Amino acid sequence: MGPTGPSAAEAREKMLDIYPKKTLRKRSKQMMVNENPSTPAEIGANSRTVPGIITQRGCSYAGCKGVVIGPIYDILHITHGPIGCGYYSWLSRRNFTKIRNEGETNYLQYSMSTDMQENHIVFGGETLLKDAIQEAYDEFKPKAISVYATCPVGLIGDDIHAVCKEMKAKLGINIFGFSCEGYKGVSQSAGHHIANNGVFKNMIGLDDTPSKGEYTINILGEYNIGGDAWEIDRILALCGIKIIGTLSGGVTYDEICNAHMADLNVVMCHRSINYMAEMMETKFGIPWFKVNFIGLEGTKKSLRKIAQYFGEKKLIDRVEEVIAAEMSEVRPVIEDVKTRTNGKTAALFVGGSRAHHYQDLFEDMEMKVIAAGYEFAHRDDYEGREVLPSIKVDADSRNIEELTIEEDPERFNLRKTVDRKKSLEESGFAFSDYEGMLKQMKKDTLVIDDISHHEMEKLIELYKPDVIGSGVKDKYVIEKMGVPCKQLHSYDYGGPYAGFKGAINFFKEIDRMTSSRVWELTRAPWHEADEAPEATVSEEVTA
Ligand code: CFM
């Protein structure tokens, strides 16, 4: 635990204290003390949020359109629904994009929606959608159009797939739809799965052009927030490793159609894209393993593992040279920052993978992560991939289609990847694995799934961490309580934080945030006037 405050068990009790019986039973399962990091206990995850609790989760549409497919920049994305869904998912996630090849188009600056009105809800919206596709085609002539269903579309039963099929035949371009109505599933996680299925069915494997480059990989689950993917690109290019497709940060439709020609898939965000990794392996024989380019140790380990996979001395040596050169820039920064961040505390509550990944960066700064949790991850993200067979399939997860994938008779093992995997496995190399967050966290730290505002406020009251990493919805609640909050969803206005240069950005930013004394002066609006900050503090600050 942190230097002050109660034990994790006591804090947990205090957070649960307020809940009525039924809620208490549910929340108890989702809040745990990490007593045995090496053999983690079972945690309640991926279950419905109790109505009335303020959650930070998003919806299935957000996970599908907003997270996984939305960043593909030369597809024209149409939201079929009322205007709010399209508007609020428009550029609010900082998945950066730039045009890289001549003739490409970037549609991400547009927010296309069918703008459903009341009469469409009553009489149906299929004609509206058809007209919207035609209008978009006439105006832009895109190479592909993707359609997303919002809640009302599912409720009234518009058949978006039939409309897409009809318009695909009529216009002669690839047009496909996603039944990612917001209510499908308990969070955006359902939308990830729906998106993976759709990308796999409608894009992967369409273009068999052999890839140029000696060591070719795809990076799955990297969305280029704040430019992270570009920093990863930079490092891998220095090493001589070629990325066919990054799914789906700063990526084009053509790159995704050609991604099955890569030698290897590496997975950054396991939560949002592990389905894709599995399906590509089953159909095309491309092996996958987990990487983490957030944090110095994670980045080094990931680069070395990729080099080891290809197994050529030339590449292994090159990776070591790149690491050495990059570290000579990072070392003076981290040595300096550590003198101020050492021993400080952090708590991380975000998404389905960053609450884990960012622990590496805080470890680099010698800070202590006293509590962490995901918003919508599943048990395997907490406890490790080996618990997958023991996860109960409930009614909510049964709602999401599981594709049945088979080996492609011609293209399976096209690049002898299956044989390479087999020989490496014999020497102890781990594939298709993900350790989970609990194993990395210290003993007796607090783990809270789908944290509520009440629990967050209690946590701050009890521990007052030096910094909290969280999402968009809770950021200002935290800051009004006098704790700096690094928004790890869109990075506020910062980034990149991946790789070596990204780590430097992060170290400097957390140093600045946790060293600033301005937070001591923060008074929440709900504080009484007579609780004004002590004069001594402001004098020192202004002195
Ligand atoms: Fe994966 Fe993501 Fe995340 Fe995620 Fe997200 Fe995100 Fe996130 Mo926001 S795909 S699970 S649904 S790493 S948008 S880029 S930051 S909540 S931890």
Side-chain angles (χ1 to χ4, degrees):
M1 256 307 130
T4 53
S7 72
E10 283 166 341
R12 180 178 175 275
E13 290 305 313
K14 287 195 163 126
M15 287 175 187
L16 289 170
D17 204 32
I18 197 175
Y19 293 130
K21 224 172 165 187
K22 216 172 135 194
T23 313
L24 176 73
R25 207 179 313 130
K26 185 129 201 278
R27 288 306 294 152
S28 304
K29 291 184 194 149
Q30 289 173 273
M31 295 170 68
M32 64 181 275
V33 177
N34 195 22
E35 284 168 348
N36 282 312
S38 53
T39 50
E42 183 177 329
I43 188 167
N46 191 33
S47 56
R48 290 187 187 190
T49 303
V50 177
I53 281 189
I54 303 177
T55 170
Q56 329 298 336
R57 285 173 165 176
C59 68
S60 173
Y61 162 79
C64 179
K65 192 258 187 182
V67 173
V68 178
I69 318 198
I72 308 168
Y73 63 84
D74 59 351
I75 288 182
L76 197 143
H77 306 271
I78 300 178
T79 297
H80 185 32
I83 196 63
C85 306
Y87 182 77
Y88 286 109
S89 60
W90 181 32
L91 300 182
S92 52
R93 180 166 174 263
R94 295 174 67 237
N95 37 243
F96 287 177
T97 274
K98 62 183 167 210
I99 287 178
R100 291 162 302 155
N101 307 301
E102 216 182 308
E104 273 177 7
T105 320
N106 173 15
Y107 292 113
L108 298 196
Q109 67 262 45
Y110 297 100
S111 176
M112 314 253 186
S113 166
T114 52
D115 186 19
M116 264 185 145
Q117 303 293 321
E118 212 170 88
N119 61 324
H120 305 120
I121 305 288
V122 177
F123 299 108
E126 289 176 10
T127 313
L128 179 75
L129 176 61
K130 223 177 277 180
D131 293 347
I133 293 172
Q134 183 69 53
E135 187 187 339
Y137 178 79
D138 293 342
E139 186 74 27
F140 295 101
K141 302 275 180 323
K143 56 177 73 163
I145 294 177
S146 175
V147 172
Y148 307 90
T150 57
C151 293
V153 171
L155 293 173
I156 65 171
D158 274 359
D159 189 347
I160 62 162
H161 304 288
V163 173
C164 289
K165 204 171 154 198
E166 185 189 327
M167 293 309 281
K168 181 177 174 173
K170 181 180 176 197
L171 302 174
I173 58 164
N174 201 357
I175 302 178
F176 41 87
F178 293 88
S179 291
C180 55
E181 291 86 350
Y183 58 76
K184 282 249 173 94
V186 301
S187 70
Q188 55 265 63
S189 170
H192 299 153
H193 197 164
I194 294 166
N196 278 232
N197 289 349
V199 170
F200 193 79
K201 280 194 288 195
N202 296 300
M203 288 180 242
I204 298 284
L206 292 185
D207 172 15
D208 287 337
T209 310
S211 50
K212 294 186 201 101
E214 258 173 304
Y215 316 110
T216 58
I217 67 170
N218 297 311
I219 302 187
L220 306 186
E222 167 49 57
Y223 302 94
N224 202 26
I225 308 296
D228 276 353
W230 293 334
E231 166 64 2
I232 298 170
D233 287 356
R234 184 188 68 85
I235 299 169
L236 291 175
L238 287 174
C239 298
I241 298 160
K242 184 176 159 65
I243 303 169
I244 308 269
T246 297
L247 271 67
S248 44
V251 76
T252 63
Y253 172 76
D254 291 342
E255 285 168 331
I256 294 186
C257 294
N258 187 234
H260 64 295
M261 300 304 284
D263 288 322
L264 172 69
N265 280 329
V266 298
V267 174
M268 264 294 278
C269 172
H270 176 264
R271 180 66 269 135
S272 63
I273 214 154
N274 70 88
Y275 323 93
M276 176 66 71
E278 280 291 307
M279 291 189 287
M280 285 181 80
E281 174 152 22
T282 310
K283 184 162 180 182
F284 299 107
I286 306 172
W288 71 270
F289 54 78
K290 174 82 181 70
V291 291
N292 178 18
F293 288 105
I294 301 289
L296 300 174
E297 290 315 308
T299 302
K300 287 189 239 173
K301 227 162 79 186
S302 301
L303 290 173
R304 286 179 178 137
K305 190 157 181 178
I306 296 171
Q308 206 191 335
Y309 170 81
F310 289 106
E312 287 183 21
K313 189 170 180 311
K314 181 177 73 173
L315 178 63
I316 294 170
D317 291 346
R318 183 72 196 130
V319 161
E320 290 307 324
E321 282 164 27
V322 171
I323 291 175
E326 296 286 327
M327 282 304 292
S328 68
E329 266 180 62
V330 183
R331 217 167 278 120
V333 180
I334 187 66
E335 290 308 324
D336 171 49
V337 164
K338 257 184 345 199
T339 60
R340 288 175 298 277
T341 53
N342 174 289
K344 283 185 176 164
T345 55
L348 300 175
F349 296 99
V350 61
S353 78
R354 294 191 171 175
H356 182 187
H357 284 165
Y358 276 78
Q359 299 203 15
D360 284 14
L361 275 172
F362 285 105
E363 260 169 42
D364 289 337
M365 284 184 278
E366 294 177 356
M367 288 177 67
K368 290 185 203 152
V369 177
I370 57 165
Y374 298 120
E375 284 167 36
F376 53 77
H378 301 198
R379 275 184 55 206
D380 45 314
D381 304 294
Y382 285 105
E383 301 166 46
R385 210 174 148 86
E386 67 274 18
V387 302
L388 271 183
S390 69
I391 294 181
K392 271 189 242 106
V393 182
D394 61 11
D396 288 311
S397 17
R398 212 167 289 129
N399 249 336
I400 317 298
E401 186 189 9
E402 281 286 345
L403 299 183
T404 313
I405 310 294
E406 284 169 8
E407 259 182 48
D408 186 297
E410 274 124 51
R411 297 180 293 175
F412 184 77
N413 202 17
L414 200 58
R415 313 196 59 179
K416 300 278 170 269
T417 44
V418 176
D419 318 289
R420 188 177 298 147
K421 177 177 176 181
K422 211 186 274 162
S423 70
L424 276 163
E425 265 177 333
E426 279 159 16
S427 64
F429 191 100
F431 287 96
S432 317
D433 194 17
Y434 174 49
E435 271 232 305
M437 180 167 88
L438 296 176
K439 289 188 188 156
Q440 187 179 352
M441 287 186 70
K442 296 273 178 305
K443 188 174 155 48
D444 293 334
T445 45
L446 197 53
V447 181
I448 307 172
D449 181 61
D450 185 20
I451 194 170
S452 69
H453 277 198
H454 162 70
E455 290 150 10
M456 182 70 92
E457 285 174 23
K458 267 276 169 246
L459 183 99
I460 294 174
E461 198 183 298
L462 297 172
Y463 294 113
K464 202 103 199 296
D466 291 297
V467 65
I468 294 181
S470 85
V472 186
K473 299 184 198 83
D474 39 358
K475 175 175 171 86
Y476 296 103
V477 176
I478 295 165
E479 297 204 327
K480 281 176 184 170
M481 294 183 79
V483 175
C485 175
K486 183 70 223 169
Q487 209 249 92
L488 290 179
H489 168 80
S490 285
Y491 296 167
D492 301 310
Y493 307 99
Y497 298 138
F500 298 106
K501 292 206 191 303
I504 294 179
N505 290 339
F506 196 77
F507 297 150
K508 287 185 175 168
E509 216 156 307
I510 296 299
D511 180 23
R512 177 179 59 77
M513 291 174 88
T514 58
S515 303
S516 164
R517 300 195 58 197
V518 72
W519 300 102
E520 296 166 35
L521 302 173
T522 311
R523 308 306 294 170
W526 57 83
H527 279 143
E528 301 292 332
D530 59 8
E531 278 185 58
E534 284 171 31
T536 48
V537 176
S538 44
E539 273 161 24
E540 275 174 41
V541 170
T542 49

